[in-house]
Amino acid sequence: MNLTVYPSNTCSPRFLLTKSFPQMKCEAESNISTVTQFVLLGFASLPNLQGILSAVFSIIYMIILIGNCLIILITRLDPTLQKPMYFFLANFSALEICYVSVTVPRILFNIWTQNRNISMLACAVQMCFFLMLGTDECFLLAVMSYDRYVAICNPLQYPLVMNSRKCTQLAAGSWISGIPIQIGQTCWIFSMHFCDSNQIDHFFCDIPPILKLACGDTSVHELSVYVVVMVVAALPFILVLTSYSKIIATILRLPTAKGRAKAFSTCSSHLLVVVLFYGSGTITYLRPKFMHSPETDKLLSLFYTIVTPMFNPLIYSLRNKEVIAALRKLKLQK
């Protein structure tokens, strides 16, 4: 453990023999250690599987990069995809690339080098970017649901409401929404003292395992996490549910089965991504501290940090006829 201990100057044997209360104070002070470096344990408990884990994470990372880059490429090149829906999809793909790149390269570095040390500053930066991009995803998913709401419930006003300027503003707002909130939360969490251990039983710097290393009572910090999650995740999720409740009600009133099937097909992919992302993320951050365990936290984190981003390009491409047609045209052109 890389711990730097700062002893009190008053804790001398002579002083302790003459004063009982300062003795208690000095003992408390001597037990306080300032952590300057953390150790990301990650998957160190699986020493025989390091090679397999390296290959799996490398393949998944390549799938995420290639899949999302393809979506960005075809939405920019294909004239039939120059619509608000695909503009937001391209932004979502770019956000996914950034989101995954915060964690997976570090996982691969730790496995390849077996050097699991990470400075407190690097840990704070990783957490901050991870939380910011996760918040951005929450708001962008809400914006995408609003786009589908306008397209299906108010189709005649759709070109006017979702014009290029409005789309740019909504996308930019989604990208910057998490910056002030999560910078503040990261500074608040890392203002705590860490003692006894500097080993993070996780594969990246996330809030629950960091709080476990803090000295003293962390109930105020846990409460702040719940408040922030309610603002940046629950509020957008409520907007998503409201949009889709109105979308479903409108679709059910359509006169033909073909029209209902077409309307559902344009929303099902987005709704599936919303359920996967919000479900695993909410379970992770809204559980009380005593319900957290390293194994469960790692499993849930793998789901919403790696598995869901890997499936997103497949969900949006395989379930969307326009995207499939654009991919075919791109392949024929090559």
Side-chain angles (χ1 to χ4, degrees):
M1 286 191 304
N2 188 4
L3 299 176
T4 304
V5 180
Y6 298 93
S8 173
N9 293 330
T10 60
C11 295
S12 64
R14 180 179 177 183
F15 184 80
L16 294 178
L17 287 172
T18 57
K19 301 290 183 178
S20 60
F21 177 73
Q23 178 179 0
M24 296 170 60
K25 182 179 179 181
C26 290
E27 287 176 353
E29 288 180 352
S30 64
N31 286 332
I32 295 177
S33 301
T34 301
V35 174
T36 60
Q37 195 170 24
F38 291 112
V39 179
L40 284 169
L41 296 182
F43 305 98
S45 59
L46 304 172
N48 297 328
L49 299 178
Q50 296 298 296
I52 297 174
L53 289 172
S54 174
V56 170
F57 284 123
S58 298
I59 293 171
I60 290 176
Y61 190 46
M62 292 303 298
I63 291 173
I64 293 171
L65 292 180
I66 294 171
N68 284 291
C69 286
L70 273 176
I71 288 179
I72 295 171
L73 183 64
I74 62 173
T75 53
R76 290 185 63 88
L77 296 180
D78 197 300
T80 62
L81 300 184
Q82 304 303 309
K83 303 174 184 178
M85 174 182 175
Y86 298 107
F87 169 76
F88 293 125
L89 179 57
N91 275 269
F92 186 73
S93 294
L95 191 55
E96 286 281 63
I97 292 173
C98 299
Y99 180 69
V100 174
S101 297
V102 172
T103 56
V104 178
R106 183 77 204 192
I107 295 172
L108 293 173
F109 173 81
N110 291 345
I111 293 175
W112 291 341
T113 64
Q114 293 299 305
N115 179 11
R116 305 181 187 279
N117 295 331
I118 182 170
S119 68
M120 181 178 286
L121 177 61
C123 188
V125 169
Q126 185 187 47
M127 177 189 285
C128 188
F129 274 97
F130 178 78
L131 295 176
M132 282 194 301
L133 293 168
T135 301
D136 296 345
E137 282 208 20
C138 291
F139 283 102
L140 189 56
L141 287 171
V143 167
M144 293 169 74
S145 67
Y146 173 72
D147 171 70
R148 291 299 82 208
Y149 160 74
V150 178
I152 293 174
C153 299
N154 299 290
L156 298 179
Q157 297 180 5
Y158 183 67
L160 296 175
V161 175
M162 301 303 293
N163 55 63
S164 59
R165 181 180 179 183
K166 182 71 170 291
C167 291
T168 303
Q169 290 174 343
L170 289 172
S174 299
W175 275 93
I176 66 176
S177 58
I179 295 176
I181 299 173
Q182 299 302 354
I183 287 179
Q185 178 163 252
T186 302
C187 293
W188 174 241
I189 290 174
F190 278 88
S191 66
M192 298 185 296
H193 291 289
F194 300 97
C195 54
D196 297 333
S197 174
N198 67 340
Q199 295 185 344
I200 302 174
D201 197 358
H202 212 307
F203 55 86
F204 73 101
C205 293
D206 201 5
I207 294 177
I210 291 293
L211 286 179
K212 287 183 179 180
L213 303 182
C215 305
D217 185 17
T218 61
S219 57
V220 176
H221 293 83
E222 290 178 55
L223 179 61
S224 72
V225 171
Y226 293 142
V227 172
V228 171
V229 170
M230 293 301 292
V231 172
V232 305
L235 181 59
F237 187 56
I238 291 171
L239 296 175
V240 170
L241 291 180
T242 303
S243 298
Y244 273 100
S245 62
K246 295 182 178 181
I247 288 171
I248 292 172
T250 302
I251 290 174
L252 293 176
R253 290 197 298 266
L254 294 177
T256 63
K258 185 177 180 181
R260 290 193 293 270
K262 183 178 179 181
F264 269 122
S265 67
T266 62
C267 302
S268 58
S269 299
H270 178 253
L271 191 57
L272 181 58
V273 170
V274 166
V275 171
L276 291 173
F277 180 77
Y278 278 103
S280 55
T282 301
I283 292 172
T284 299
Y285 291 103
L286 290 183
R287 285 180 302 153
K289 184 179 179 180
F290 68 88
M291 293 181 63
H292 285 272
S293 67
E295 293 75 18
T296 305
D297 287 346
K298 288 178 188 178
L299 181 62
L300 288 171
S301 298
L302 279 173
F303 199 78
Y304 67 82
T305 59
I306 299 174
V307 176
T308 301
M310 178 184 68
F311 283 117
N312 286 347
L314 300 176
I315 291 171
Y316 279 115
S317 60
L318 297 179
R319 297 178 62 87
N320 191 304
K321 294 181 180 179
E322 290 182 316
V323 173
I324 292 175
L327 286 172
R328 286 174 179 170
K329 283 194 288 185
L330 183 65
K331 184 178 179 180
L332 290 174
Q333 288 174 359
K334 289 185 177 181

